[in-house]
């Protein structure tokens, strides 16, 4: 058992002892009570030292843990709380505690679409009630970007459960490129979030490559229990190792992507790397930089580069450079047209 857990058990044990006003407590009594409590939790003999309990009392008296316990010694032998009604479990929440709890509740509620959080929904409610009772009109410090109106979020838990239980899905899906919806079987491996959109990653058949489906393009989901789930070991970390986003062109090898970034955006790109493979190759006198990435080219990478506009230039590879040139030229020609 971790030492910090042992310490918490001792603190609670000492607290419980000192709340008992109908008995006198010597240091030896507290040592024995702590040893018994640890034995109950660990199932093995634990000899708590005199020095340990003395330090525990000192810690409980201090502000380090927020207890400020009024532990006093009387008759030069016995320990008690100067305030008979005191308990470390009744300490009011500080403003920092309230802010932390508020943001924790807020973040947990972002995952309300998963049934595995149903078991803690009542806990969240009680926490919210406690926070409200302690302090009202608390403004959020952390604001998470989540689009509540995004389609397909109601499929999250259904797909999650199918992955856990290894059930083959029958999905009716209409991609942005298709005129008509298609229905097919799908073996889901993982759920993946990128840029505030959710995707289910898996295979239609064992002979076909990995594919991802955007949840907002799914129309209906059914199940096919007659088809055995693919026995496929999918390693998401390895699969997305050299990729930005969710699109993986499996026939393409990762290659060096070399980008120039202007002086204004250089600090942004340095402090918030485009990908974990990013390396600073060159820092120019004008403040601009050249960075290297080792990635497979895909739609998401193109969108990131395009998002920087004239502030970023593809130096390598030539194919990607020409692709960006083609897109920018078409965009420029469109803006030259009269509205």
């Amino acid at each position: 058992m971790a030492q910090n857990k042992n310490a918490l058990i001792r603190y609670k044990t000492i607290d419980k002892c000192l709340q008992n006003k109908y008995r006198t407590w010597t240091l030896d009594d507290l040592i024995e009570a702590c040893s018994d409590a640890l034995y109950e939790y660990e199932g093995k003999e634990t000899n708590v030292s005199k020095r340990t309990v003395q330090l525990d009392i000192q810690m409980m008296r201090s502000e380090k843990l927020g207890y400020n316990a009024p532990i006093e010694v009387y008759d030069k032998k016995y320990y008690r709380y100067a305030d008979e009604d005191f308990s470390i479990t009744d300490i009011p929440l500080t403003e920092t505690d309230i802010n932390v709890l508020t943001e924790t509740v807020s973040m947990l509620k972002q995952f309300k679409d998963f049934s595995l959080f149903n078991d803690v929904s009542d806990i969240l409610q009680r926490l919210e009630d406690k926070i409200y009772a302690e302090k009202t009109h608390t403004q959020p410090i952390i604001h998470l970007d989540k689009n509540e109106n995004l389609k397909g979020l109601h499929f999250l838990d259904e797909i999650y459960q199918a992955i856990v239980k290894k059930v083959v899905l029958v999905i009716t899906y209409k991609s942005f490129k298709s005129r008509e919806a298609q229905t097919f079987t799908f073996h889901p491996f993982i759920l993946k979030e990128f840029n505030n959109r959710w995707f289910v990653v898996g295979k239609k058949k064992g002979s076909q490559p990995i594919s991802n489906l955007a949840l907002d393009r799914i129309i209906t989901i059914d199940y096919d229990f007659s088809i055995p789930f693919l026995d496929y070991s999918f390693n998401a970390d390895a699969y997305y190792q050299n990729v930005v986003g969710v699109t993986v062109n499996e026939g393409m090898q990762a290659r060096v992507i070399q980008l120039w970034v202007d002086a204004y955006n250089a600090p942004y790109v340095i402090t918030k790397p485009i990908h974990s493979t990013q390396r600073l190759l060159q820092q120019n006198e004008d403040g601009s930089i050249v960075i290297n990435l080792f990635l497979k080219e895909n739609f998401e990478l193109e969108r990131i580069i395009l998002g920087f506009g004239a502030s970023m230039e593809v130096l390598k590879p030539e194919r990607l450079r020409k692709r960006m040139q083609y897109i920018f030229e078409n965009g420029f020609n469109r803006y030259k047209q009269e509205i």
Side-chain angles (χ1 to χ4, degrees):
M1 184 180 290
Q3 290 303 310
N4 58 345
K5 181 67 177 293
N6 286 354
L8 289 174
I9 292 172
R10 296 196 304 271
Y11 298 153
K12 291 183 68 176
T13 302
I14 294 170
D15 177 65
K16 186 176 180 180
C17 291
L18 299 185
Q19 286 182 73
N20 184 353
K21 304 184 288 288
Y22 303 101
R23 175 179 168 176
T24 56
W25 295 95
T26 65
L27 186 61
D28 288 338
D29 292 332
L30 296 176
I31 292 171
E32 183 180 355
C34 289
S35 298
D36 291 343
L38 288 174
Y39 176 77
E40 182 179 343
Y41 277 94
E42 294 185 313
K44 63 180 181 180
E45 293 289 342
T46 302
N47 295 319
V48 180
S49 69
K50 178 180 179 180
R51 177 62 175 163
T52 296
V53 174
Q54 287 176 326
L55 290 174
D56 288 342
I57 293 172
Q58 183 179 342
M59 183 65 72
M60 291 172 69
R61 284 170 170 163
S62 73
E63 298 180 355
K64 290 182 179 180
L65 299 177
Y67 293 156
N68 294 305
I71 301 174
E72 64 178 9
V73 180
Y74 66 101
D75 293 341
K76 298 182 180 180
K77 183 177 182 181
Y78 303 109
Y79 289 80
R80 69 184 177 189
Y81 280 141
D83 178 0
E84 292 184 351
D85 297 325
F86 180 86
S87 172
I88 63 173
T89 60
D90 294 333
I91 297 172
L93 293 174
T94 65
E95 185 174 353
T96 300
D97 295 333
I98 293 171
N99 290 337
V100 170
L101 284 172
T102 300
E103 301 312 326
T104 301
V105 169
S106 176
M107 284 187 281
L108 285 174
K109 288 174 70 177
Q110 301 296 315
F111 297 94
K112 61 183 176 61
D113 300 295
F114 290 101
S115 66
L116 73 160
F117 281 89
N118 288 343
D119 294 338
V120 299
S121 61
D122 59 332
I123 299 174
L124 295 181
Q125 183 62 55
R126 291 199 299 272
L127 274 174
E128 287 187 297
D129 291 342
K130 175 67 174 176
I131 293 167
Y132 185 80
E134 292 284 344
K135 181 180 180 181
T136 57
H137 310 301
T138 303
Q139 293 296 319
I141 297 172
I142 300 173
H143 182 267
L144 299 178
D145 185 17
K146 184 177 182 183
N147 185 356
E148 293 287 350
N149 298 319
L150 186 65
K151 294 181 180 179
L153 291 179
H154 61 287
F155 291 128
L156 271 173
D157 185 60
E158 196 170 359
I159 297 172
Y160 175 88
Q161 297 297 336
I163 295 172
V164 171
K165 297 170 183 175
K166 297 186 181 301
V167 175
V168 179
L169 299 175
V170 179
I171 296 178
T172 301
Y173 188 82
K174 187 177 184 300
S175 70
F176 290 119
K177 298 178 181 179
S178 302
R179 291 186 178 182
E180 301 292 334
Q182 296 179 321
T183 301
F184 48 82
T185 56
F186 195 77
H187 302 254
F189 299 150
I190 65 164
L191 281 161
K192 183 173 175 62
E193 187 271 344
F194 176 73
N195 198 24
N196 210 17
R197 291 183 75 201
W198 283 91
F199 301 82
V200 55
V201 181
K203 282 191 171 192
K204 294 181 180 179
K205 295 180 181 179
S207 59
Q208 294 188 351
I210 300 290
S211 60
N212 66 77
L213 307 176
L215 266 62
D216 57 357
R217 306 308 301 165
I218 295 177
I219 299 173
T220 62
I221 287 180
D222 203 345
Y223 310 95
D224 192 331
F225 298 101
S226 66
I227 301 176
F229 195 85
L230 282 177
D231 183 17
Y232 186 86
S233 180
F234 180 72
N235 186 326
D237 290 334
Y239 186 72
Y240 290 106
Q241 183 177 4
N242 296 105
V243 166
V244 172
V246 295
T247 307
V248 179
N249 298 316
E250 294 195 33
M252 180 181 292
Q253 295 295 319
R255 62 174 70 182
V256 172
I257 311 291
Q258 195 170 103
L259 306 173
W260 171 89
V261 185
D262 69 4
Y264 182 81
N265 287 276
Y268 175 82
V269 174
I270 290 174
T271 55
K272 187 179 183 297
I274 295 172
H275 189 263
S276 60
T277 60
Q278 179 175 307
R279 299 292 181 268
L280 179 62
L281 187 65
Q282 182 177 317
Q283 190 137 17
N284 302 316
E285 292 184 2
D286 63 355
S288 64
I289 60 172
V290 176
I291 61 171
N292 270 5
L293 303 165
F294 191 67
L295 298 172
K296 293 181 179 181
E297 299 170 35
N298 63 3
F299 175 83
E300 292 91 327
L301 177 61
E302 290 183 2
R303 286 297 173 271
I304 290 174
I305 296 172
L306 290 170
F308 281 92
S311 301
M312 181 175 287
E313 177 187 356
V314 176
L315 303 180
K316 294 178 182 179
E318 187 64 23
R319 193 210 67 81
L320 183 58
R321 179 179 174 85
K322 288 182 177 179
R323 168 75 176 160
M324 293 296 102
Q325 184 180 9
Y326 172 78
I327 294 174
F328 277 117
E329 285 178 350
N330 283 349
F332 176 72
N333 291 332
R334 182 169 294 279
Y335 273 99
K336 287 199 303 181
Q337 297 175 10
E338 295 292 334
I339 298 178

